[in-house]
């Protein structure tokens, strides 16, 4: 098999030709950036066919690489089974290294990985699955090769909407086709286990697809494998308890995604709902959600799996309108799905999409809708609130609009992350929030520690607030300044952000005055990763000491 001829001149992220240095003009990837030695290095070739590129992400059970299929001449994604905490790779070795205590389980997990992706290959024609077409074993592990599809996460798509949410008419076109795929997966013994607005992606062809499948052993907190909680989307049974995962696990997460799309915020996490099982929907939003959808979400978001809607088929029926209307609409489903206006509405917010904006649709709200919603909420366990509660008096439509003002929240003392703020629909409606990242010695990585407008200040709606997210403690590797003059050593260290202090040591005449001791002459030691700003202590030779009897001993530390 002939390998790519000009591989040295291709970007290892998007595989477009490099035209000016190492930074790709197409995707901005710096091809001189270092890849951790635990991963396959860029330009590694697998099976005389696939050229490995940049690391995309390392999930619980596998690392995902951008890659190039030299047989099909196309960019692909390759998943390498490399479970976190269990397996890694030693420098210079392609074979995966397994920690001794996990060797027996590793083989079992690898078999699960192969079975999962072999099954998904058979289901490649499902509309909501990114097609996978090759699975093979190599380097002591296993690989799955999937098509590369340009996409944006559902979460990002929703945040591009003015209120961070969408109406059911649009959500229906996005979510309903995924149910057929979920039903097929469940019938083949596959539970996704990690459905969230980050793992539902909107592709360029307008379809919503599931990504980030992992083996079932990685979907519960009791496993050896790393378990990543998606707060608001992880079902109760995935935490350590006596409840078991089942198809209803995916129904819970999928219902939570619909809730997020319609309401504009995440539902509370499952564990907290054991003590306070209320899902709050603002009245102004609830009145725009059809009653049968509120009922369906109530069934899909039941906290205990045995009380939850049990099958996709039943859940689909609950999401559809009243039976009489369903029967009448069944004959025109295909026509509705292909309606060009609805397709444009479905695709709104996608990068570079410049189709004409669809005409707005009027909402027909019945006089009795509030009463119906209250009844439905009581059945479903979903509560409707509007600041003061159900039935708060609305403003008259004849009153001219006024500029709303809001009190700025305290974003910095509660340990909020950027994701926490982005998923809070109300804050993003009230303020225009942006983010900047800075190193911090005091705040953990990912935590917001500064805000541009003080907490408690009253500002107009839409006021810009800049939040600073901690990049953690910045570290630098200490250079070896042994043998340098004190001025040279101080400049080299201070340019990296360190502070320098000195300790004068005895000079018997064998060393130049004001030079740093060559061996073990600095603390911390050369080569260590040290937090920027820390004090570095240098041992510096003082003036030459002359005596009537010269010293005959050598400095034993050199």
């Amino acid at each position: 098999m002939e390998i790519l001829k000009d591989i040295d001149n291709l970007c290892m992220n998007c595989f477009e030709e490099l035209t000016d240095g190492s930074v790709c003009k197409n995707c901005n990837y710096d091809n001189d950036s270092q890849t951790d030695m635990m991963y396959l290095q860029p330009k590694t070739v697998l099976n005389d066919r696939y050229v490995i590129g940049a690391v995309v992400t390392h999930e619980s059970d596998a690392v995902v690489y951008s890659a190039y299929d030299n047989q099909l001449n196309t960019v692909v994604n390759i998943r390498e089974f490399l479970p976190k905490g269990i397996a890694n790779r030693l420098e210079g070795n392609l074979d995966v290294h397994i920690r001794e205590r996990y060797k027996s389980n590793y083989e079992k997990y690898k078999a699960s990985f192969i079975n999962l992706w072999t099954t998904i290959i058979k289901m490649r024609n499902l509309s909501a699955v990114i097609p996978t077409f090759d699975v093979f074993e190599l380097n002591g592990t296993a690989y799955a090769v999937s098509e590369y599809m340009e996409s944006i996460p559902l979460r990002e798509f929703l945040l591009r909407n003015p209120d961070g949410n969408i109406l059911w008419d649009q959500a229906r076109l996005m979510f309903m086709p995924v149910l057929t795929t979920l039903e097929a997966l469940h019938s083949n013994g596959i539970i996704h286990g990690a459905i969230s607005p980050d793992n539902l992606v909107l592709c360029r062809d307008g379809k919503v697809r599931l990504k980030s499948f992992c083996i079932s052993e990685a979907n519960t907190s009791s496993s050896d494998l790393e378990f990543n909680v998606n707060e608001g989307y992880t079902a109760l049974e995935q935490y350590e308890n006596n409840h078991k995962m089942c198809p209803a696990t995916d129904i819970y997460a999928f219902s939570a995604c619909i809730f997020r799309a319609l309401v504009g915020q995440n539902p509370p996490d499952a564990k907290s709902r054991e003590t306070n099982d209320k899902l709050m929907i603002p009245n102004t939003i609830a009145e725009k959600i059809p009653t049968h959808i509120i009922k369906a979400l109530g069934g899909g978001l039941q906290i205990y799996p045995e009380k939850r809607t049990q099958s996709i088929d039943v859940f689909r029926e609950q999401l559809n309108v009243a039976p009489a209307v369903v029967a009448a609409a069944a004959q025109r489903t295909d026509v509705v799905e292909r309606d060009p206006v609805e397709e444009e509405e479905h695709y709104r917010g996608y990068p570079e999409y410049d189709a004409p904006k669809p005409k707005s649709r009027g909402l027909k709200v019945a006089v009795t809708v509030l009463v119906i919603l209250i009844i439905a909420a009581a059945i479903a366990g979903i509560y409707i609130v509007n600041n003061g509660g159900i039935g708060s008096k609305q403003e008259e439509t004849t009153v001219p609009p006024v500029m709303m003002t809001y009190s700025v929240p305290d974003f910095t003392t509660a340990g909020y992350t950027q994701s926490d703020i982005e998923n809070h629909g109300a804050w993003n409606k009230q303020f225009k929030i942006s983010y900047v990242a800075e190193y911090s010695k005091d705040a953990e990585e990912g935590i917001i520690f500064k805000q541009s407008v003080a907490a408690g200040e009253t500002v107009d709606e839409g006021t810009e607030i800049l939040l600073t997210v901690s990049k953690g403690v910045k570290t630098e590797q200490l250079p070896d300044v042994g043998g340098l003059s004190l001025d040279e050593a101080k400049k080299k260290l201070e340019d990296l952000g360190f502070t320098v202090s000195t300790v004068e040591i005895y000079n018997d005449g064998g060393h130049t005055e004001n030079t740093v001791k060559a061996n073990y002459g600095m603390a911390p030691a050369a080569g260590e990763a040290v937090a920027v700003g820390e004090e570095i202590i240098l041992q510096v030779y003082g003036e030459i000491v002359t005596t009537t009897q010269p010293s005959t001993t050598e400095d034993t530390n050199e």
Side-chain angles (χ1 to χ4, degrees):
M1 175 70 64
E2 182 183 2
I3 305 305
L4 285 169
K5 293 180 180 179
D6 298 322
I7 189 75
D8 289 335
N9 199 39
L10 294 183
C11 171
M12 288 293 102
N13 184 54
C14 67
F15 292 91
E16 293 292 326
E17 185 177 356
L18 293 174
T19 58
D20 184 16
S22 64
V23 178
C24 179
K25 298 295 184 183
N26 181 57
C27 68
N28 293 320
Y29 177 74
D30 185 354
N31 285 265
D32 283 343
S33 59
Q34 296 296 308
T35 298
D36 192 306
M37 297 307 296
M38 74 176 292
Y39 302 126
L40 292 173
Q41 296 300 294
K43 301 181 184 178
T44 301
V45 179
L46 302 181
N47 271 4
D48 293 329
R49 174 175 177 178
Y50 304 110
V51 180
I52 293 294
V55 173
V56 177
T57 183
H58 193 173
E59 298 170 355
S60 176
D61 68 342
V63 56
V64 181
Y65 303 93
S66 177
Y68 193 86
D69 184 345
N70 196 34
Q71 181 173 309
L72 298 179
N73 292 320
T74 188
V75 179
V76 295
N77 281 332
I78 293 184
R79 298 181 70 88
E80 178 184 51
F81 182 62
L82 196 71
K84 289 183 178 180
I86 291 180
N88 57 19
R89 180 176 279 105
L90 304 181
E91 186 172 348
N93 196 337
L94 289 178
D95 286 346
V96 168
H97 173 74
I98 315 302
R99 294 174 62 188
E100 188 65 33
R101 61 179 290 194
Y102 295 113
K103 284 187 175 178
S104 59
N105 281 346
Y106 174 81
E107 292 301 322
K108 178 181 70 174
Y109 296 151
K110 184 174 74 171
S112 292
F113 179 88
I114 294 170
N115 179 65
L116 168 65
W117 290 100
T118 301
T119 304
I120 290 177
I121 282 180
K122 299 173 184 176
M123 308 171 72
R124 59 188 298 181
N125 292 326
L126 291 173
S127 65
V129 170
I130 295 174
T132 298
F133 56 85
D134 196 6
V135 173
F136 58 91
E137 293 187 65
L138 194 66
N139 303 329
T141 186
Y143 299 86
V145 185
S146 303
E147 289 184 20
Y148 167 75
M149 288 190 169
E150 186 180 353
S151 63
I152 59 170
L154 173 65
R155 188 185 305 279
E156 182 179 338
F157 173 83
L158 293 172
L159 290 172
R160 293 182 182 188
N161 285 267
D163 297 324
N165 67 322
I166 56 178
L167 299 177
W168 172 244
D169 282 350
Q170 184 179 358
R172 178 179 61 82
L173 296 174
M174 300 174 69
F175 287 105
M176 294 302 285
V178 182
L179 293 177
T180 300
T181 294
L182 276 177
E183 190 172 32
L185 290 169
H186 292 169
S187 66
N188 281 272
I190 296 176
I191 296 170
H192 188 285
I195 298 173
S196 73
D198 298 308
N199 292 334
L200 282 169
V201 295
L202 180 64
C203 299
R204 286 293 275 175
D205 61 3
K207 295 179 180 178
V208 173
R209 289 181 170 87
L210 281 166
K211 71 166 193 171
S212 297
F213 286 86
C214 60
I215 61 176
S216 60
E217 292 89 342
N219 282 330
T220 61
S221 61
S222 58
S223 171
D224 290 333
L225 302 179
E226 180 183 88
F227 172 60
N228 296 316
V229 174
N230 290 312
E231 289 193 5
Y233 303 91
T234 298
L236 183 69
E237 58 269 25
Q238 294 177 267
Y239 297 90
E240 203 160 349
N241 51 52
N242 294 325
H243 301 282
K244 302 298 182 184
M245 285 182 62
C246 58
T249 302
D250 281 345
I251 292 175
Y252 184 92
F254 197 71
S255 298
C257 288
I258 298 176
F259 182 96
R260 166 66 184 86
L262 300 180
V263 177
Q265 62 189 34
N266 296 338
D269 69 273
K271 294 193 76 174
S272 71
R273 292 184 58 210
E274 280 195 285
T275 55
N276 182 19
D277 190 13
K278 291 184 179 181
L279 294 176
M280 313 298 283
I281 302 180
N283 184 48
T284 54
I285 293 176
E287 64 186 12
K288 299 176 184 178
I289 303 175
T291 306
H292 67 281
I293 299 303
I294 292 181
K295 288 183 179 180
L297 294 182
L301 287 169
Q302 285 293 315
I303 186 64
Y304 297 110
E306 59 270 20
K307 295 182 178 180
R308 203 177 301 148
T309 303
Q310 295 295 302
S311 72
I312 294 295
D313 186 52
V314 172
F315 187 55
R316 182 191 291 110
E317 289 183 5
Q318 292 173 345
L319 288 174
N320 277 316
V321 292
V325 180
V326 171
Q331 299 177 357
R332 52 185 173 87
T333 301
D334 290 341
V335 176
V336 172
E337 295 295 339
R338 295 192 182 95
D339 180 77
V341 172
E342 292 187 342
E343 182 179 347
E344 289 168 7
E345 179 69 13
H346 167 60
Y347 215 58
R348 180 167 60 83
Y350 196 90
E352 301 177 3
Y353 182 72
D354 56 2
K357 292 184 179 180
K359 297 179 179 179
S360 60
R361 301 173 183 162
L363 291 177
K364 298 181 179 179
V365 182
V367 176
T368 57
V369 66
L370 186 57
V371 176
I372 297 174
L373 285 171
I374 295 171
I375 296 172
I379 297 172
I382 298 178
Y383 289 72
I384 303 169
V385 296
N386 182 20
N387 297 327
I390 295 173
S392 295
K393 187 175 181 180
Q394 304 276 335
E395 290 186 352
E396 297 294 334
T397 56
T398 55
V399 177
V402 295
M403 176 65 72
M404 299 293 293
T405 59
Y406 297 96
S407 176
V408 176
D410 183 353
F411 294 110
T412 62
T413 59
Y416 288 124
T417 65
Q418 181 173 339
S419 177
D420 293 331
I421 308 302
E422 288 176 338
N423 289 318
H424 197 293
W427 288 343
N428 285 279
K429 182 177 180 181
Q430 294 164 3
F431 314 105
K432 184 177 180 181
I433 302 175
S434 57
Y435 305 86
V436 65
E438 290 182 7
Y439 290 106
S440 170
K441 293 189 297 182
D442 303 315
E444 293 182 12
E445 184 177 358
I447 300 299
I448 292 168
F449 69 100
K450 284 195 297 188
Q451 59 189 84
S452 62
V453 182
E457 186 174 334
T458 300
V459 298
D460 292 337
E461 182 176 6
T463 295
E464 294 187 7
I465 299 178
L466 179 66
L467 302 181
T468 304
V469 184
S470 172
K471 294 168 66 174
V473 177
K474 183 179 182 180
T475 61
E476 291 283 357
Q477 188 176 43
L478 276 182
D480 188 352
V481 297
L484 298 180
S485 71
L486 176 57
D487 288 343
E488 291 173 328
K490 284 186 68 175
K491 184 177 187 310
K492 195 167 187 177
L493 293 170
E494 288 174 350
D495 284 350
L496 292 173
F498 300 110
T499 60
V500 178
S501 63
T502 60
V503 175
E504 186 175 305
I505 58 175
Y506 175 76
N507 187 350
D508 62 1
H511 306 280
T512 303
E513 183 182 337
N514 260 356
T515 58
V516 179
K517 189 172 181 288
N519 295 324
Y520 308 105
M522 57 191 299
E528 289 188 21
V530 179
V532 171
E534 281 198 18
E535 180 185 42
I536 310 301
I537 302 173
L538 301 180
Q539 297 183 53
V540 181
Y541 290 107
E543 293 182 6
I544 297 173
V545 177
T546 57
T547 62
T548 55
Q549 185 166 356
S551 174
T552 58
T553 59
E554 295 288 335
D555 188 338
T556 57
N557 286 329
E558 291 198 0

